[in-house]
Amino acid sequence: MDSPQPLRLYVPEPTGRPGHETDFSYLHLSPAGAVRRPAIDAAPVDTADLAFTLVRVLDEDGRALGPWAPPPDVPLLQRGLRAMMKTRAFDAKMLIAQRQKKISFYIQCLGEEAIAVAHAFAIQPGDMCFPTYRQQGLLLAREDIPMAELICQLMSNGRDPMRGRQLPVMYSYKRAGFFSISGNLATQFIQAVGWAMASAIQGDTKIASAWIGDGATAESDFHTALTFAHVYRAPVILNVVNNQWAISTFQAIAGGEATTFAARGVGCGIASLRVDGNDFLAVLAASRWAAERARSNLGPTLIEWITYRAGAHSTSDDPSRYRPADDWQHFPLGDPIARLKQHLQGLGAWSDEEHRRTQAQLEAEVAAALKEAERYGGTLIDGHVPSLESMFEDVYKDMPPHLHEQLRQARTAQDRH
Amino acid sequence: MARMTMVQALRSAMDVMLERDPNVVIYGQDVGYFGGVFRCTEGLQAKYGRSRVFDAPISEGGIVGSAIGMAAYGLRPVVEVQFADYFYPASDQIVSEAARLRYRSAGDFSAPITIRMPCGGGIYGGQTHSQSPEALFTHVCGLRTVMPSNPYDAKGLLIASIENDDPVIFLEPKRLYNGPFDGHYDRPLVPWSQHALGEVPEGHYTVPLDTAKVFSSGTDLTVLTYGTMVFVCEAAAAESGVRAEILDLRSIWPLDLPAIVASVKKTGRCVVVHEATRTSGFGAELVALVQEHCFYHLEAPIERVTGWDTPYPHALEWAYFPGPARVAAAFRRAMEA
């Protein structure tokens, strides 16, 4: 017998690094309209093929094709386009505000706008989303969340609903079905399942929507969420946003090579879909399918949204150090805003002129909101920070004696200063 | 009044709260049909149904994480981690999420959950069935950490913990489940049915959190302790002849500082006793507080009797466990100083 060859550790690498173009063939795309749409009561095991194909509605020419094309609803699509443009305009302005040191930190969702926005249109008031820090579209799709209030959170100023305790972007909006964002990755995924279990325990009709990125699926709470959702048939939508990158690490290092994240759902006995995340119509249709399934007590659904993180990970990140600078231009699923715009133009329901006008209007709206937020106190640099008491309040429901004492000490220290 | 073991008292507390509050749900590993490996939830699923009391997968992170989600919905989950030694996989959910949810959302969301964990040694439990991890919780701002030492307090504190709107780590010394234990492992167990603290009211009552109890009053020195060590200290006092004032903290953090300060100012001496390992254990915080608040009343250095800074051994259980002889020696040292 030959002597064995030395073993070698395999470490996945992206095909594209700075100066080299990415080979996106690993994505295994399906043509628009090609993937079947099962009944909402499909058995999880019967969705196995859907975990390895890609649900798409819009083709290259912006036409809606196949069984997943949602019923025509031009006003809704126009609102969707506007909400995506609003999300992008907001991100662009906040990026500048961070560079101007008006806010300390920001995270944009450039290129991923369709997923959160279309999903927001597919769920109902009272449902609860458990977002990550990259689902601001869930809030910006709504008309009842004032943009200025979001900016106050980003500025930690006197009108910050989080009272200056959280990093920028870590919003909490119970009234909008938007759970408090945590810096700890994946923790909210299992919490969403618990929320959904609670709704079922109480005989309610509300459902939960859980959010996680491709990189964070490697955290243990991803696994616990799938297990609990499956065991208790929790009314939850488990959204995996695969934007190909976790800061600098390619999705292969999270376990994405030669498999899909949707396949994890099937493995855990959960109906699963793999969907074009830059196709507004596909996101809307798949989200509705999963929501109806959950609301009909048919159990959870896992959806892997294929998209691309077009921007930097955060304002502290420089992606040109680990991936090609023009990568987004080559990403085969394109830009969600451009694709819905093309579709609406094909229907004669949108024009370049309308697009320009809407863009200008949104930019003015964001600029006005920024000005309004600045009126409630400036930035950290100006020394506009919340009161000392606010640092000690809400640790417990009632402030215990040791925190009263520490507040007194902090006041004394400040007075002396 | 009825006679109850600590197991029965804890079960009674959960029974009372399941009855009173439709938002109370109970789950954990083996907690449902089987009634728990220590019988603490026996009969509850049959009485209240599977949607109120149910079995969970073996996933501490999943159990605590889902409970936080349920609490965000508006339920009041009481979940069990089978042994305190196994809470570690839930650390992220406990520290980063349950403890901080109210603070980080400025009250938009909160996590009124109770996490029950059997703890402590003295049962030949070895490394992973004997630990006392309370210091890992008391260091976390936003948590309440509670440990009863007898059936009456166990029921009253558990009801108070479930009703409390803050997350509570409820540590149950499993050595005390069936009867008090003073560290004399060679003597027969006295069941709670023969002990005055085994008298437990059938219905609803609470033992308020943040209040210590003077377990036995004395004038020579103050003993700050909780859990199984309360009875060990009682035996050590009797055997040493030291008239010790034993404070059962009951709520470990936040704690009853006025009771501690009043007692130490009266006696002028203080001994801190816990099963947990010594370095950075909760005793260090107690020693610091007494030093800070009672310095001019102290007549001797503050003593600490604790588990050794080693993992909990199997064969050398009684050399590890801080028994009455070690505690009595510390009492005598404190008196001679």
Side-chain angles (χ1 to χ4, degrees):
Chain A
M1 209 175 125
D2 292 342
S3 61
Q5 294 295 303
L7 296 167
R8 285 188 307 273
L9 180 70
Y10 178 71
V11 181
E13 266 291 307
T15 52
R17 286 296 191 189
H20 300 275
E21 200 172 301
T22 300
D23 174 6
F24 282 107
S25 63
Y26 73 89
L27 287 172
H28 296 292
L29 307 179
S30 312
V35 172
R36 70 189 179 93
R37 183 185 186 278
I40 58 153
D41 61 353
V45 67
D46 294 332
T47 63
D49 57 320
L50 300 170
F52 289 97
T53 50
L54 192 70
V55 172
R56 303 176 72 188
V57 172
L58 294 173
D59 73 0
E60 306 275 296
D61 301 318
R63 288 173 304 183
L65 303 180
W68 286 94
D73 186 346
V74 164
L76 183 139
L77 296 183
Q78 288 170 331
R79 279 200 293 134
L81 181 60
R82 194 179 181 282
M84 286 198 288
M85 294 171 71
K86 180 177 162 189
T87 304
R88 188 169 294 182
F90 185 84
D91 276 359
K93 187 75 176 172
M94 294 311 112
L95 213 54
I96 294 166
Q98 193 277 334
R99 297 305 186 219
Q100 293 172 334
K101 297 191 179 355
K102 289 179 179 176
I103 60 180
S104 64
F105 176 74
Y106 194 69
I107 291 180
Q108 56 176 336
C109 68
L110 184 66
E112 302 176 33
E113 294 90 346
I115 300 165
V117 169
H119 193 83
F121 288 175
I123 55 175
Q124 290 177 12
D127 295 342
M128 184 66 73
C129 289
F130 287 73
T132 77
Y133 45 67
R134 222 184 290 280
Q135 273 79 50
Q136 52 264 57
L138 291 170
L139 290 171
L140 289 157
R142 302 177 65 109
E143 298 301 324
D144 58 344
I145 301 296
M147 235 187 243
E149 196 174 282
L150 295 179
I151 302 172
C152 288
Q153 195 282 327
L154 300 175
M155 296 183 133
S156 292
N157 69 14
R159 288 275 179 104
D160 171 9
M162 259 78 269
R163 308 183 76 189
R165 293 174 184 150
Q166 278 272 53
L167 268 183
V169 180
M170 307 285 181
Y171 310 110
S172 175
Y173 277 96
K174 192 176 192 173
R175 68 177 196 271
F178 189 97
F179 185 72
S180 159
I181 297 176
S182 168
N184 292 66
L185 295 182
T187 50
Q188 75 287 346
F189 218 56
I190 175 68
Q191 292 166 5
V193 175
W195 195 97
M197 289 169 68
S199 182
I201 287 168
Q202 297 294 64
D204 205 340
T205 58
K206 301 187 188 96
I207 63 168
S209 181
W211 295 84
I212 200 166
D214 47 289
T217 61
E219 292 281 6
S220 58
D221 281 337
F222 175 70
H223 184 82
T224 66
L226 267 56
T227 301
F228 278 61
H230 164 69
V231 168
Y232 300 109
R233 293 192 196 168
V236 63
I237 308 172
L238 300 160
N239 300 280
V240 179
V241 181
N242 181 359
N243 68 13
Q244 317 307 318
W245 292 95
I247 309 185
S248 74
T249 42
F250 183 56
Q251 59 103 36
I253 215 101
E257 189 165 283
T259 183
T260 70
F261 293 101
R264 267 79 157 168
V266 178
C268 288
I270 295 171
S272 300
L273 305 172
R274 188 168 173 268
V275 181
D276 180 345
N278 291 3
D279 178 341
F280 188 92
L281 277 72
V283 177
L284 186 67
S287 297
R288 283 175 171 169
W289 188 87
E292 193 187 343
R293 186 177 165 86
R295 226 180 290 282
S296 308
N297 222 19
L298 295 166
T301 302
L302 185 144
I303 308 177
E304 177 183 358
W305 306 105
I306 303 296
T307 185
Y308 186 85
R309 197 198 75 209
H313 164 72
S314 72
T315 50
S316 307
D317 174 51
D318 173 10
S320 72
R321 296 172 66 94
Y322 52 79
R323 70 181 191 190
D326 60 349
D327 221 22
W328 192 29
Q329 272 66 58
H330 300 286
F331 182 64
L333 300 179
D335 173 346
I337 291 180
R339 288 176 65 192
L340 182 57
K341 177 180 176 241
Q342 183 192 27
H343 174 66
L344 280 169
Q345 281 185 312
L347 297 175
W350 199 254
S351 66
D352 285 337
E353 172 51 28
E354 217 164 342
H355 199 79
R356 271 192 298 275
R357 203 169 51 234
T358 304
Q359 182 67 26
Q361 201 181 63
L362 288 167
E363 282 171 11
E365 196 184 326
V366 180
L370 180 61
K371 276 215 173 66
E372 187 190 339
E374 283 176 299
R375 280 206 300 277
Y376 301 129
T379 65
L380 297 179
I381 300 158
D382 301 339
H384 281 89
V385 291
S387 70
L388 213 48
E389 295 85 72
S390 75
M391 182 159 65
F392 294 95
E393 285 161 358
D394 296 329
V395 179
Y396 298 89
K397 188 182 185 201
D398 301 309
M399 198 188 291
H402 71 283
L403 289 182
H404 271 292
E405 169 58 17
Q406 289 173 27
L407 169 59
R408 192 193 61 75
Q409 291 173 13
R411 277 208 188 101
T412 309
Q414 203 170 54
D415 289 349
R416 231 181 269 133
H417 183 71
Chain B
M1 283 288 200
R3 286 278 173 180
M4 294 187 199
T5 65
M6 192 186 280
V7 167
Q8 291 163 333
L10 293 163
R11 185 193 309 146
S12 175
M14 288 185 269
D15 191 358
V16 164
M17 289 311 295
L18 281 163
E19 182 79 48
R20 278 170 77 95
D21 185 347
N23 290 322
V24 169
V25 291
I26 291 175
Y27 63 102
Q29 188 190 337
D30 300 307
V31 158
Y33 182 84
F34 181 57
V37 293
F38 293 108
R39 319 311 306 151
C40 288
T41 53
E42 190 171 31
L44 296 179
Q45 183 180 76
K47 189 169 175 186
Y48 295 97
R50 283 199 302 270
S51 67
R52 302 284 306 282
V53 181
F54 51 92
D55 287 314
I58 304 176
S59 169
E60 293 77 13
I63 289 168
V64 176
S66 59
I68 295 167
M70 287 186 198
Y73 175 92
L75 298 191
R76 205 165 272 274
V78 182
V79 295
E80 180 180 305
V81 170
Q82 198 158 76
F83 287 86
D85 314 63
Y86 302 138
F87 92 84
Y88 304 102
S91 301
D92 195 24
Q93 289 289 344
I94 294 172
V95 177
S96 311
E97 300 292 320
R100 295 200 209 131
L101 184 55
R102 179 188 298 278
Y103 188 76
R104 77 166 194 241
S105 70
D108 203 23
F109 294 93
S110 61
I113 63 175
T114 303
I115 308 175
R116 295 180 42 243
M117 301 183 196
C119 72
I123 55 147
Y124 282 106
Q127 293 190 23
T128 58
H129 298 81
S130 306
Q131 294 168 43
S132 296
E134 64 270 16
L136 295 171
F137 302 113
T138 56
H139 187 57
V140 179
C141 48
L143 293 182
R144 293 180 175 276
T145 304
V146 173
M147 192 191 297
S149 69
N150 58 76
Y152 180 89
D153 283 353
K155 180 174 174 182
L157 285 169
L158 183 53
I159 290 176
S161 297
I162 296 170
E163 290 178 340
N164 194 280
D165 289 329
D166 300 320
V168 179
I169 305 295
F170 195 87
L171 294 161
E172 303 166 1
K174 62 182 109 50
R175 177 69 234 209
L176 300 181
Y177 269 162
N178 293 312
F181 177 66
D182 64 8
H184 286 293
Y185 54 91
D186 46 353
R187 296 178 192 169
L189 174 89
V190 180
W192 283 116
S193 60
Q194 288 165 37
H195 196 281
L197 291 167
E199 289 271 327
V200 178
E202 304 261 16
H204 177 275
Y205 70 94
T206 59
V207 170
L209 303 186
D210 309 344
T211 60
K213 181 171 76 176
V214 178
F215 182 81
S216 61
S217 55
T219 51
D220 288 348
L221 58 76
T222 297
V223 183
L224 304 180
T225 191
Y226 45 84
T228 307
M229 289 299 122
V230 169
F231 298 99
V232 173
C233 293
E234 184 186 36
E239 288 158 29
S240 64
V242 172
R243 287 162 298 177
E245 176 145 299
I246 302 171
L247 253 64
D248 178 359
L249 297 184
R250 304 195 293 197
S251 282
I252 303 179
W253 192 262
L255 52 54
D256 187 349
L257 185 62
I260 293 170
V261 172
S263 178
V264 177
K265 283 188 173 174
K266 182 178 79 178
T267 63
R269 289 178 163 82
C270 182
V271 179
V272 171
V273 184
H274 60 58
E275 275 185 78
T277 53
R278 185 180 184 89
T279 303
S280 299
F282 188 67
E285 186 61 38
L286 289 170
V287 170
L289 285 169
V290 170
Q291 188 278 146
E292 191 180 321
H293 292 273
C294 309
F295 183 77
Y296 295 106
H297 293 79
L298 285 174
E299 292 170 38
I302 307 162
E303 286 273 351
R304 260 193 292 174
V305 188
T306 69
W308 307 119
D309 280 344
T310 70
Y312 207 114
H314 182 61
L316 290 173
E317 173 104 59
W318 305 116
Y320 179 92
F321 184 92
R326 268 173 67 197
V327 175
F331 287 178
R332 281 190 289 266
R333 279 197 305 276
M335 293 312 296
E336 285 156 14

